[in-house]
Amino acid sequence: MASRLNPYISFAGDARQAMEFYKSVFGGELTLNTFGESGMAGSPVENQIMHSQLDSPSGYTIMASDTPPGMEHKPGTNLSVSLSGDDGEELRGYWEKLSAEGAVSVPFEKQMWGDEFGACTDKFGISWMVNVVQS
């Protein structure tokens, strides 16, 4: 397998909802493993996500988990996810879904470098940058 770069996102108890949302945006196959399935049955975090992975038809991979007990959770402060390419229709579709119910920090429009670009924070507090390369 070739090396790949993908985000790994920690959530504060809503990883399942977030990953199901990302599946609705990107499509693909979602795998969810709970703490209970991994030896913590009967614990307060039994139904929370220990590890999840979304593999999309476009080749994107997102991994995530709920923050385990005893670890600090800092939503969105040290992570941005970048989506870029030349398929404007696909990328604009992702932008529309990600920015809905979120906060737009840079409107999706043509930028001084010539590409269409936008930045937003989705409804789960994750920062996204979407760039459509202009030929």
Side-chain angles (χ1 to χ4, degrees):
M1 176 204 290
S3 296
R4 65 177 163 191
L5 177 67
N6 60 273
Y8 200 111
I9 307 169
S10 290
F11 293 94
D14 58 356
R16 179 184 305 275
Q17 296 91 331
M19 292 301 282
E20 289 171 349
F21 169 69
Y22 297 140
K23 181 180 180 185
S24 77
V25 172
F26 299 110
E29 185 170 339
L30 176 60
T31 305
L32 298 165
N33 305 103
T34 66
F35 285 103
E37 294 168 329
S38 303
M40 295 181 74
S43 74
V45 295
E46 174 179 21
N47 294 317
Q48 290 188 357
I49 302 302
M50 187 203 71
H51 177 75
S52 63
Q53 182 168 326
L54 175 65
D55 293 305
S56 80
S58 297
Y60 304 132
T61 298
I62 300 173
M63 295 179 184
S65 67
D66 285 309
T67 304
M71 292 185 70
E72 184 178 1
H73 179 254
K74 294 182 181 180
T77 60
N78 61 346
L79 172 71
S80 287
V81 182
S82 175
L83 289 172
S84 60
D86 59 7
D87 189 334
E89 183 177 351
E90 179 181 53
L91 291 165
R92 284 183 206 98
Y94 295 153
W95 169 261
E96 291 302 319
K97 292 175 183 177
L98 290 166
S99 62
E101 298 182 60
V104 173
S105 55
V106 178
F108 190 81
E109 59 191 16
K110 189 168 184 167
Q111 301 296 323
M112 64 183 197
W113 61 88
D115 293 350
E116 288 178 82
F117 174 85
C120 68
T121 301
D122 71 21
K123 65 183 179 181
F124 292 101
I126 303 303
S127 299
W128 293 85
M129 300 178 292
V130 180
N131 190 81
V132 178
V133 177
Q134 302 299 303
S135 308

